[in-house]
Amino acid sequence: MSVRVGILGATGAVGQRFIQLLDDHPTFELAALTASDESAGKPYREAAKWRVDTPIPVDVAEMTVRRTDPDAVPDDLDLLFSSLPSGVAVDVEEDFARDGYVISSNSSNDRLAEDVPLTIPEINPGHLDLIEVQRDERGWDGALVKNPNCSTITMIPPLAALDEAFGLDRINVSTLQAVSGGGYSGVTSMEIIDNVLPHIGGEEDKMETESRKLLGDFDGAEIEWHDVDVAASCNRVPTLDGHLENAFVDLAEDDLEVSEIEDAMREFPGVDLPSAPNQLIHVFDDPERPQPRMDRMRGQGMQICVGGVQSTPHGVKFNCLAHNTVRGAAGASLLNGELLHENGYL
Amino acid sequence: MSVRVGILGATGAVGQRFIQLLDDHPTFELAALTASDESAGKPYREAAKWRVDTPIPVDVAEMTVRRTDPDAVPDDLDLLFSSLPSGVAVDVEEDFARDGYVISSNSSNDRLAEDVPLTIPEINPGHLDLIEVQRDERGWDGALVKNPNCSTITMIPPLAALDEAFGLDRINVSTLQAVSGGGYSGVTSMEIIDNVLPHIGGEEDKMETESRKLLGDFDGAEIEWHDVDVAASCNRVPTLDGHLENAFVDLAEDDLEVSEIEDAMREFPGVDLPSAPNQLIHVFDDPERPQPRMDRMRGQGMQICVGGVQSTPHGVKFNCLAHNTVRGAAGASLLNGELLHENGYL
Amino acid sequence: MSVRVGILGATGAVGQRFIQLLDDHPTFELAALTASDESAGKPYREAAKWRVDTPIPVDVAEMTVRRTDPDAVPDDLDLLFSSLPSGVAVDVEEDFARDGYVISSNSSNDRLAEDVPLTIPEINPGHLDLIEVQRDERGWDGALVKNPNCSTITMIPPLAALDEAFGLDRINVSTLQAVSGGGYSGVTSMEIIDNVLPHIGGEEDKMETESRKLLGDFDGAEIEWHDVDVAASCNRVPTLDGHLENAFVDLAEDDLEVSEIEDAMREFPGVDLPSAPNQLIHVFDDPERPQPRMDRMRGQGMQICVGGVQSTPHGVKFNCLAHNTVRGAAGASLLNGELLHENGYL
Amino acid sequence: MSVRVGILGATGAVGQRFIQLLDDHPTFELAALTASDESAGKPYREAAKWRVDTPIPVDVAEMTVRRTDPDAVPDDLDLLFSSLPSGVAVDVEEDFARDGYVISSNSSNDRLAEDVPLTIPEINPGHLDLIEVQRDERGWDGALVKNPNCSTITMIPPLAALDEAFGLDRINVSTLQAVSGGGYSGVTSMEIIDNVLPHIGGEEDKMETESRKLLGDFDGAEIEWHDVDVAASCNRVPTLDGHLENAFVDLAEDDLEVSEIEDAMREFPGVDLPSAPNQLIHVFDDPERPQPRMDRMRGQGMQICVGGVQSTPHGVKFNCLAHNTVRGAAGASLLNGELLHENGYL
């Protein structure tokens, strides 16, 4: 009765997180791993330099890595998770989907494509049915589903809560992002010790566009993007994991109490999926929280933390935090995989 | 012909910076150092744990530290710099001013007092004449002048440039502040390694209020605060020196080119004082700059760096950086001291 | 049937670790918490600023903190753990022991006293019987047992293995110690970011003397210290937890293979106590391990990791690592408490 | 009258330091820059990503980068500095020397070759005459001279002082090395934040062998290596610049006072070359010094700092520090270049 899953790009940082999160999963059984051609044919423990803070699962260590190609992967896989580099993913994911595979992908390509669902199960599960449009248009048996960028996903839950309760007009957001978001070798120590990098290529655009698609309406044919204005400034800081963000939000409603804001967030419903946290948003009363090192692992790294909610002359400001390689990457794809399963797409 | 100066609170982090910046000063001659009663009577090299990155000046090392009391300080000092803890400064600075001393203070007390000038020489030098009001009301022979908080001073020059050119409507700003801003022992290593602290007590208020006073108009009798709305979120990050800030600004004028914004900043005039940089604001074309470690010492730590200027749906966003213990503290008071001298107040 | 235990100095960093480690302990039941007079009378959640990375246990949060005084603590406690500052502990621990309490203490006072057992259960459990001498000489019903300093405990297991197998002649050791060893506020961020502190007051002496007592022989009356020569250089580095040490050891036997050295360590026996790791020493083949962040939590933070074993012209060199606030502090006292229980001293 | 110099491998981290140190040099005039084929033909400012903390010299910015080939470089260059990757340098440096160029190289290849001088001007300037042997054997008009590895050079000056005064028997040394030693991209932030890397490939060997050659005797025909035993353990720590080392040394003489040790170091003579510090070794009385961030720039980064000198049961222990990319790399080659000039080899 278990669902057989594979991982495309299994040796990288996000690939390793997939393996960690799939260990002891109640429904998903890991059955195939792919990587670059140089790794193909090797046992996983040789192909990957394991860097996650829990040991490599014993059976995974001995699995043979396959080429990242539909012909090299068993036909009976129900679901593929993808953490391929986007330059590779853009072709490869389509090859797999055309070949009948259902893919839940963390890669950044195609997130804004009109017929590709970009989903967070707690926020816009209904967008998943864009798969029907996708299959019609592309003639695929498979499907391609995306989750948003780690910096986007950190702020969307509290913003969705505010949108539903009071209406969103405008967002300015500043990020303090962890180095793991750049991949294992993405940020050198010479760049970041005693420093901040005030620019992350493409990141601000992702936050500004993905947010509007995520918060948009799906009428069964297409997504109408939300018309909220978003301006983002993205910074890399010397933390290992956990993106912290300062949001300044104008709401359609005025004169709200801080407690009303906090209640809207606390009461925002979660979903009943194996990897979802009981409560989606945890709101701290203590203005000194959330902090990346202290709070990134709340809810097994899947909860969104909020704090420092305060009124401003035009709305509200608050801080939010999520674990960027769990909730912001592998955990996000995993949750979308669980939603695909729940909704009968596998 | 030299001006004899003293330092109140000379053993702390900002006190040490004063000593460093006064070494070889063209007009100011350091003639007295004060500290707490336990330090009084000791040679400075014993009283202070010297932590600045240049050696302690030889003659300063042997100066005897005095009590922080008007009776313990020579009468012929022309100017006192103060970096006392604000809880102490609130009474002591008034004692000195009443006794006839002119004080350029970095301490946070009294910055918003109606008859205390809060000045940056390049921004609002005319506010200095509030000293006349102060002397009338308080019956002082001396005077008390303040510089703003380090997080405020970082953003004010570019904002003043925009205000003058286009008019300011609204500011959201997020800060990434260095640990030195908390004093030598203010931020523990256990708090900040692999972490961010999303709250700095009182800091957001300072940015929101001091900015409006600094950008305000002085009619000879009182300061009319600027009516710009400011909302700030302040964070402590693991950098040693240099506050980086992300500003989102709504302007009174629409549809401006990025180049117009940058030109307004680049062309904003400086002042002709010994410690002032030739150009007040340096604007980088490279969106990856300014960075704290690379750029904090531009203009001997006295220049304001700006980068990442971009349009947003409602105005403009940019990043700015200043050295928080030079331009943001000791250097700010020093420059006010030079302005006091230039304007004949000593 | 459970053993009722208390914690002296429960609000500090080591006190919090005691609480974390005692949560769900199979035999010990936490029944009392003491702290300074200012904290007495408050619920623990108010008295302590909780900083451990797991939530404060719900029942502990509501326990009322007591004064650190025999009169303020229930008589029926079987065992007290102490993490008092050594300046306080020197008198207070004796008061409690005189009053009949058995104390397993992490404080540094009295570790070298002739009639105080300094024990690591896997290394010198027989030293515990020095309690008989202690009770005779001091007329106590209670007892005082100590564990060594965190920097000592990191290297002793591999050294004891080598001593038993080949005989120890001489040790040079260099430490790279985490900031948590200095207590929550012991090392400021200004001191340690982009820096190393090459001196930790008293630390080198502790390593040099405690090691010789720990490895010494107990003849039923007194400990004869081991005559190995130890020279230590201690450094603080910018890591949060986990002391790494480079040891250079001259052995009584020559021409040993690296594999013989490693086998002696791997095969060194553990003990059967609830908090002891299955295997005391884990030896890595990979010369790049152990690393503090990757390996400090092995065996729930109670295992000693060794790597980089190599021959030198006069013996052997290796690296070792232990979690300084678990195996090196609270966990060490806890294990001694379990040994006291096992040996019938409670 | 000036000496025309070139830099082989000018775009890397050490190449940039060469450019910085040659700016305003009293005798050397920078006349050529080489790099990889992709960079050849570009102006230097485009070919190099400038990362040094002083601005790129204006005239250097516009110099055209050449291929790293004798045919691509002017014939009239008197001296070449090399910071090529050792895999490239092994052939290229020989090509240049054969073609008549004199090369002062920081690359690690050939340092132990019998006919290649490995020199530090203050320690073994006489070894330079091995060039005569080299020219005889290889039939070169040019010459190849090397400086030691950064971790070696840090400890050699104090060891040479002790060897001359008291005789060296044996050395155990542990290093705490900065990330810049691994090159700009050598150490990732994910590896080193909150961590230590206990292994640097090849580094321990370099310290053990280069030291014996440097301290050896040259009889006009060959170098007789010193017979001191050296065992080294090398660690990478989260500092940017400055290698700190803990040395444990057995001396031929016993029962020395700490003051005798310190005097031998303080009085060790320097050399009269433009880039040499006035005093080679600075000895701190304060056991808390030297520290990397506070002391790496002493003597413009060319001085060796020593502290924490103490007796041990078998000799002495001390800490030493040098700036690894100045005294330990570019500055070391520059000083050898000045020695070549002084001794008439150019």
Coordinates of all heavy atoms in Angstrom, one line a residue, chain A residues 170 172-174 176 190 193-196 198-199 204 208 229 231-232 235 239-240 246 248 250 287-288 290-293 296 310 314 317, chain B residues 170 172-174 176 190 193-196 198-199 204 208 229 232 235 239-240 246 248 250 287-288 290-293 296 310 314 317:
Chain A
R170 N -0.2 46.0 0.4 CA 1.1 46.3 0.0 C 2.1 45.7 1.0 O 1.8 45.7 2.2 CB 1.2 47.8 0.0 CG 2.5 48.4 -0.4 CD 2.4 49.9 -0.4 NE 3.7 50.4 -0.4 CZ 4.1 51.7 -0.2 NH1 3.1 52.6 0.0 NH2 5.3 52.1 -0.3
N172 N 6.3 45.6 2.0 CA 7.8 45.7 1.9 C 8.4 44.7 2.8 O 7.9 44.5 4.0 CB 8.2 47.1 2.4 CG 7.9 48.2 1.4 OD1 7.7 47.9 0.3 ND2 7.8 49.4 1.9
V173 N 9.4 44.0 2.3 CA 10.0 42.9 3.2 C 11.5 42.9 3.0 O 12.0 43.1 1.9 CB 9.3 41.5 2.8 CG1 9.6 41.1 1.4 CG2 9.9 40.5 3.8
S174 N 12.2 42.7 4.1 CA 13.6 42.6 4.1 C 14.0 41.2 4.7 O 13.4 40.8 5.7 CB 14.1 43.7 5.0 OG 15.5 43.8 5.0
L176 N 16.9 38.2 6.0 CA 18.2 37.9 6.6 C 18.3 36.4 6.4 O 17.9 35.6 7.3 CB 18.2 38.3 8.1 CG 18.0 39.8 8.3 CD1 16.6 40.1 8.6 CD2 18.9 40.3 9.4
M190 N 35.1 33.4 3.2 CA 35.7 34.7 3.1 C 34.7 35.7 2.8 O 34.9 36.9 3.1 CB 36.8 34.6 1.9 CG 38.0 33.9 2.3 SD 39.0 34.7 3.5 CE 39.6 36.1 2.6
I193 N 32.1 35.8 6.7 CA 32.5 36.0 8.1 C 32.6 37.5 8.4 O 33.3 38.2 7.6 CB 33.8 35.3 8.5 CG1 33.6 33.7 8.5 CG2 34.3 35.7 9.8 CD1 34.8 32.9 8.7
D194 N 32.0 38.0 9.5 CA 32.1 39.4 9.8 C 31.5 40.2 8.6 O 32.1 41.3 8.3 CB 33.5 39.8 10.2 CG 33.6 41.3 10.5 OD1 32.6 41.9 10.9 OD2 34.7 41.8 10.5
N195 N 30.5 39.8 8.0 CA 29.9 40.5 6.8 C 28.5 40.2 6.6 O 27.9 39.3 7.2 CB 30.8 40.1 5.6 CG 30.8 41.2 4.5 OD1 30.4 42.3 4.8 ND2 31.2 40.8 3.3
V196 N 27.9 40.9 5.7 CA 26.5 40.7 5.2 C 26.6 40.9 3.7 O 27.3 41.8 3.2 CB 25.5 41.7 5.7 CG1 24.2 41.5 5.1 CG2 25.4 41.5 7.3
P198 N 24.4 42.0 0.6 CA 23.1 42.7 0.4 C 22.4 42.3 -0.9 O 21.5 43.0 -1.2 CB 23.5 44.1 0.5 CG 24.9 44.2 -0.2 CD 25.6 42.9 0.2
H199 N 22.9 41.3 -1.6 CA 22.3 41.0 -2.9 C 22.3 39.5 -3.1 O 23.4 38.9 -2.9 CB 23.1 41.7 -3.9 CG 22.5 41.5 -5.3 ND1 21.4 42.1 -5.7 CD2 23.0 40.8 -6.4 CE1 21.1 41.8 -7.0 NE2 22.1 41.0 -7.4
E204 N 14.9 38.6 -5.1 CA 13.9 39.7 -4.8 C 12.8 39.5 -5.8 O 11.6 39.5 -5.4 CB 14.5 41.1 -4.9 CG 15.6 41.2 -3.9 CD 16.4 42.5 -3.9 OE1 16.1 43.3 -4.8 OE2 17.2 42.7 -3.0
E208 N 8.7 38.7 -5.1 CA 7.7 39.6 -5.6 C 6.7 39.0 -6.5 O 5.5 39.3 -6.5 CB 8.4 40.8 -6.3 CG 9.2 41.7 -5.3 CD 10.2 42.7 -5.9 OE1 10.2 42.8 -7.1 OE2 11.0 43.3 -5.1
D229 N 1.1 44.7 -4.0 CA 2.4 45.2 -4.4 C 3.4 44.6 -3.4 O 3.3 44.8 -2.2 CB 2.5 46.7 -4.4 CG 1.8 47.3 -5.6 OD1 1.9 46.7 -6.7 OD2 1.2 48.4 -5.4
A231 N 7.6 44.7 -2.5 CA 9.0 45.1 -2.8 C 9.9 44.4 -1.7 O 9.6 44.4 -0.5 CB 9.1 46.6 -2.6
A232 N 10.9 43.7 -2.2 CA 11.7 42.9 -1.3 C 13.2 43.3 -1.4 O 13.7 43.6 -2.5 CB 11.6 41.4 -1.7
N235 N 19.1 39.8 1.8 CA 20.4 39.8 2.4 C 20.9 38.4 2.8 O 20.1 37.7 3.4 CB 20.5 40.7 3.6 CG 20.0 42.1 3.3 OD1 20.7 42.9 2.8 ND2 18.7 42.3 3.6
T239 N 24.4 33.1 9.2 CA 23.7 32.0 10.0 C 23.7 30.8 9.1 O 23.7 30.9 7.9 CB 22.3 32.4 10.3 OG1 21.6 32.8 9.2 CG2 22.2 33.5 11.4
L240 N 23.6 29.6 9.7 CA 23.7 28.3 8.9 C 22.3 28.0 8.3 O 22.3 27.7 7.1 CB 24.1 27.2 9.9 CG 25.6 27.2 10.2 CD1 25.8 26.4 11.5 CD2 26.4 26.8 9.1
N246 N 11.8 40.6 7.9 CA 11.0 41.7 8.5 C 10.0 42.2 7.5 O 10.4 42.6 6.4 CB 11.9 42.9 8.8 CG 13.1 42.7 9.7 OD1 14.1 43.4 9.6 ND2 13.0 41.7 10.6
F248 N 6.7 44.6 6.4 CA 5.9 45.8 6.7 C 4.7 45.7 5.8 O 4.9 45.7 4.5 CB 6.7 47.1 6.3 CG 8.0 47.2 7.0 CD1 9.2 46.6 6.5 CD2 8.1 47.9 8.2 CE1 10.4 46.8 7.2 CE2 9.3 48.0 8.9 CZ 10.5 47.5 8.4
D250 N 0.8 46.9 4.5 CA -0.4 47.7 4.5 C -1.7 46.9 4.3 O -1.7 46.0 3.4 CB -0.4 48.8 3.4 CG 0.6 49.8 3.5 OD1 1.5 49.7 4.5 OD2 0.6 50.7 2.7
P287 N 9.1 39.7 22.1 CA 9.6 40.4 20.9 C 11.0 40.0 20.5 O 11.4 40.2 19.4 CB 9.6 41.9 21.3 CG 9.7 41.9 22.8 CD 9.0 40.6 23.3
E288 N 11.7 39.3 21.4 CA 13.1 38.8 21.0 C 13.1 37.5 20.2 O 14.1 37.0 19.8 CB 13.9 38.6 22.3 CG 14.1 39.9 23.1 CD 15.1 39.8 24.2 OE1 15.7 38.7 24.4 OE2 15.2 40.8 25.0
P290 N 11.0 35.2 16.9 CA 11.8 34.1 16.7 C 13.3 34.5 16.4 O 13.5 35.6 15.8 CB 11.2 33.4 15.5 CG 10.6 34.5 14.7 CD 10.1 35.5 15.7
Q291 N 14.2 33.6 16.7 CA 15.6 33.7 16.4 C 16.0 32.5 15.6 O 15.5 31.4 15.9 CB 16.5 33.8 17.6 CG 16.3 35.0 18.5 CD 17.1 35.0 19.7 OE1 18.0 34.2 19.9 NE2 16.7 35.9 20.7
P292 N 16.8 32.6 14.5 CA 17.1 31.5 13.7 C 17.6 30.2 14.5 O 17.0 29.1 14.3 CB 18.2 32.0 12.7 CG 17.9 33.5 12.6 CD 17.4 33.9 14.0
R293 N 18.6 30.4 15.3 CA 19.2 29.2 15.9 C 18.2 28.5 16.9 O 18.2 27.3 17.1 CB 20.5 29.5 16.6 CG 21.3 28.2 16.8 CD 22.7 28.5 17.5 NE 22.5 28.9 18.9 CZ 23.0 29.9 19.4 NH1 23.7 30.8 18.7 NH2 22.8 30.2 20.7
R296 N 14.4 27.6 14.5 CA 14.2 27.0 13.2 C 13.7 25.6 13.2 O 13.1 25.1 12.2 CB 15.5 27.1 12.4 CG 16.7 26.4 13.0 CD 18.0 26.9 12.4 NE 19.2 26.3 13.1 CZ 20.4 26.8 13.2 NH1 20.7 27.9 12.6 NH2 21.3 26.2 13.8
Q310 N 3.6 44.6 15.5 CA 3.4 45.9 16.0 C 2.7 46.7 14.9 O 2.8 46.5 13.7 CB 4.7 46.6 16.3 CG 5.3 46.2 17.6 CD 6.6 47.1 17.9 OE1 7.7 46.7 17.5 NE2 6.4 48.2 18.5
H314 N 0.9 52.9 8.8 CA 0.0 52.5 7.7 C -0.4 51.0 7.8 O -0.9 50.5 6.8 CB 0.7 52.7 6.4 CG 0.9 54.1 6.0 ND1 2.0 54.8 6.5 CD2 0.2 55.0 5.4 CE1 2.0 56.1 6.1 NE2 0.8 56.2 5.4
K317 N 3.8 45.7 11.2 CA 5.1 45.1 10.9 C 5.2 43.9 11.8 O 4.6 43.8 12.9 CB 6.2 46.1 11.2 CG 6.4 46.5 12.6 CD 7.6 47.5 12.7 CE 7.8 47.9 14.2 NZ 8.8 48.9 14.4
Chain B
R170 N 7.3 58.6 3.1 CA 7.1 57.5 4.0 C 8.3 56.6 3.9 O 8.9 56.4 2.7 CB 5.9 56.7 3.5 CG 5.5 55.6 4.3 CD 4.2 55.0 3.7 NE 4.0 53.7 4.2 CZ 3.1 52.8 3.8 NH1 2.3 53.1 2.9 NH2 3.1 51.6 4.3
N172 N 9.9 52.8 5.2 CA 10.1 51.5 5.9 C 11.5 51.1 5.9 O 12.2 51.2 4.8 CB 9.3 50.4 5.3 CG 7.8 50.5 5.6 OD1 7.3 51.2 6.5 ND2 7.0 49.9 4.7
V173 N 12.1 50.7 7.0 CA 13.5 50.4 7.0 C 13.8 49.3 8.0 O 13.2 49.1 9.0 CB 14.4 51.7 7.5 CG1 14.0 52.2 8.9 CG2 15.9 51.4 7.3
S174 N 14.7 48.4 7.5 CA 15.1 47.2 8.2 C 16.6 47.3 8.4 O 17.3 47.6 7.5 CB 14.7 46.0 7.3 OG 14.9 44.8 8.0
L176 N 20.5 45.8 9.8 CA 21.3 44.6 10.1 C 22.5 45.2 10.8 O 23.5 45.6 10.2 CB 21.7 43.9 8.8 CG 20.5 43.3 8.0 CD1 20.1 44.3 6.9 CD2 20.9 42.0 7.3
M190 N 27.3 33.6 22.8 CA 26.3 32.5 22.8 C 25.0 33.0 22.1 O 24.2 32.2 21.6 CB 25.9 32.1 24.2 CG 27.0 31.2 24.9 SD 27.3 29.6 24.1 CE 25.7 28.8 24.6
I193 N 26.3 33.9 17.6 CA 27.0 33.0 16.7 C 25.9 32.1 16.0 O 25.0 31.6 16.7 CB 28.0 32.1 17.3 CG1 29.2 32.9 17.7 CG2 28.5 31.0 16.4 CD1 30.3 32.1 18.4
D194 N 25.9 32.0 14.7 CA 24.8 31.3 14.0 C 23.4 31.8 14.3 O 22.5 31.0 14.5 CB 25.0 29.8 14.2 CG 24.0 28.9 13.5 OD1 23.4 29.4 12.5 OD2 23.7 27.7 13.9
N195 N 23.2 33.1 14.5 CA 21.9 33.6 14.9 C 21.8 35.0 14.5 O 22.7 35.7 14.0 CB 21.9 33.5 16.4 CG 20.4 33.3 16.9 OD1 19.5 33.0 16.2 ND2 20.2 33.5 18.2
V196 N 20.5 35.5 14.6 CA 20.2 36.9 14.5 C 19.3 37.2 15.6 O 18.4 36.4 16.0 CB 19.4 37.1 13.1 CG1 18.9 38.6 13.1 CG2 20.2 36.8 11.9
P198 N 16.3 39.6 16.6 CA 15.4 40.5 15.8 C 14.9 41.7 16.6 O 13.9 42.3 16.2 CB 14.3 39.5 15.5 CG 14.2 38.6 16.7 CD 15.6 38.5 17.2
H199 N 15.5 42.0 17.7 CA 14.9 43.1 18.6 C 16.1 43.7 19.3 O 16.9 43.1 19.9 CB 14.0 42.4 19.6 CG 13.3 43.5 20.5 ND1 12.4 44.3 20.1 CD2 13.5 43.8 21.8 CE1 12.0 45.1 21.1 NE2 12.7 44.8 22.1
E204 N 14.1 51.0 17.5 CA 13.1 51.3 16.5 C 12.5 52.7 16.7 O 12.4 53.5 15.8 CB 12.1 50.2 16.4 CG 12.7 48.9 16.0 CD 11.8 47.7 16.0 OE1 10.6 47.8 16.3 OE2 12.3 46.6 15.6
E208 N 12.6 56.2 14.4 CA 11.4 56.8 14.0 C 11.2 58.2 14.5 O 10.7 59.0 13.7 CB 10.2 55.9 14.5 CG 10.2 54.5 13.8 CD 9.3 53.5 14.4 OE1 8.5 53.8 15.3 OE2 9.3 52.3 14.0
D229 N 6.4 59.5 7.7 CA 6.1 58.4 8.5 C 7.3 57.4 8.4 O 7.7 57.1 7.3 CB 4.9 57.6 8.0 CG 3.6 58.3 8.4 OD1 3.6 58.9 9.5 OD2 2.6 58.3 7.7
A232 N 10.4 51.2 11.5 CA 11.7 50.5 11.5 C 11.7 49.1 12.2 O 11.0 49.0 13.1 CB 12.8 51.4 12.2
N235 N 17.6 44.7 13.7 CA 18.1 43.3 13.9 C 19.6 43.4 14.2 O 20.3 44.2 13.6 CB 18.0 42.5 12.7 CG 16.6 42.4 12.2 OD1 15.8 41.6 12.6 ND2 16.3 43.2 11.2
T239 N 28.1 40.6 12.7 CA 29.2 41.4 12.2 C 29.8 42.2 13.3 O 29.1 42.6 14.3 CB 28.7 42.3 11.0 OG1 27.6 43.1 11.5 CG2 28.3 41.5 9.8
L240 N 31.1 42.6 13.2 CA 31.7 43.4 14.2 C 31.4 44.8 14.2 O 31.0 45.4 15.2 CB 33.2 43.2 14.1 CG 33.7 41.8 14.5 CD1 35.1 41.5 14.0 CD2 33.7 41.7 16.0
N246 N 18.3 48.3 4.9 CA 17.4 48.3 3.7 C 16.3 49.3 3.8 O 15.5 49.1 4.7 CB 16.8 46.9 3.5 CG 17.7 45.7 3.4 OD1 17.3 44.6 3.8 ND2 18.9 45.9 3.0
F248 N 13.0 51.3 2.2 CA 11.9 51.4 1.2 C 11.3 52.8 1.4 O 10.8 53.0 2.4 CB 10.9 50.3 1.4 CG 11.4 48.9 1.5 CD1 11.9 48.4 2.7 CD2 11.5 48.1 0.3 CE1 12.4 47.1 2.7 CE2 12.0 46.8 0.4 CZ 12.5 46.3 1.6
D250 N 8.8 56.0 0.0 CA 7.8 56.6 -0.9 C 8.1 58.1 -1.1 O 8.4 58.8 -0.1 CB 6.4 56.5 -0.3 CG 5.8 55.1 -0.3 OD1 6.6 54.2 -0.6 OD2 4.6 55.0 0.1
P287 N 25.5 46.1 -7.4 CA 24.4 45.8 -6.5 C 24.9 45.0 -5.3 O 24.2 44.9 -4.3 CB 23.4 45.0 -7.3 CG 24.1 44.4 -8.4 CD 25.2 45.4 -8.7
E288 N 26.1 44.3 -5.4 CA 26.6 43.5 -4.3 C 27.2 44.4 -3.2 O 27.7 43.9 -2.2 CB 27.6 42.5 -4.8 CG 26.9 41.5 -5.8 CD 27.8 40.4 -6.2 OE1 28.9 40.3 -5.6 OE2 27.4 39.6 -7.1
P290 N 27.0 48.3 -0.9 CA 28.1 48.1 0.1 C 27.9 46.8 1.0 O 26.8 46.4 1.2 CB 27.9 49.3 1.0 CG 26.5 49.7 0.9 CD 26.0 49.3 -0.4
Q291 N 29.1 46.4 1.4 CA 29.1 45.2 2.4 C 29.8 45.8 3.7 O 30.8 46.5 3.6 CB 29.9 44.1 1.9 CG 29.2 43.4 0.6 CD 30.0 42.3 0.0 OE1 31.0 41.8 0.7 NE2 29.7 41.9 -1.2
P292 N 29.4 45.3 4.8 CA 30.0 45.9 6.1 C 31.5 45.7 6.1 O 32.2 46.7 6.3 CB 29.3 45.1 7.2 CG 28.0 44.7 6.6 CD 28.2 44.5 5.2
R293 N 32.0 44.5 5.9 CA 33.5 44.4 6.1 C 34.3 45.1 5.1 O 35.4 45.6 5.3 CB 33.8 42.9 6.2 CG 35.2 42.7 6.8 CD 35.6 41.2 6.9 NE 36.0 40.7 5.6 CZ 35.5 39.7 5.0 NH1 34.5 38.9 5.6 NH2 35.9 39.3 3.8
R296 N 33.0 49.5 5.4 CA 32.8 50.4 6.6 C 33.8 51.4 6.8 O 33.6 52.4 7.4 CB 32.6 49.5 7.8 CG 33.8 48.6 8.1 CD 33.4 47.5 9.1 NE 34.5 46.6 9.3 CZ 34.4 45.3 9.7 NH1 33.2 44.8 10.0 NH2 35.5 44.5 9.9
Q310 N 16.9 50.8 -6.5 CA 15.9 50.3 -7.5 C 14.5 50.9 -7.3 O 14.2 51.3 -6.2 CB 15.8 48.8 -7.3 CG 16.9 48.0 -7.9 CD 16.6 46.5 -7.8 OE1 17.0 45.9 -6.8 NE2 15.9 45.9 -8.8
H314 N 5.9 51.8 -5.4 CA 5.5 53.1 -4.8 C 6.7 54.1 -4.6 O 6.5 55.1 -3.9 CB 4.9 52.9 -3.4 CG 3.5 52.2 -3.6 ND1 3.4 50.8 -3.6 CD2 2.3 52.7 -3.7 CE1 2.2 50.5 -3.8 NE2 1.5 51.6 -3.8
K317 N 13.8 51.7 -3.5 CA 14.4 51.0 -2.4 C 16.0 51.1 -2.6 O 16.4 51.2 -3.7 CB 14.0 49.5 -2.3 CG 14.4 48.6 -3.5 CD 13.9 47.2 -3.3 CE 14.3 46.4 -4.6 NZ 13.8 45.0 -4.6

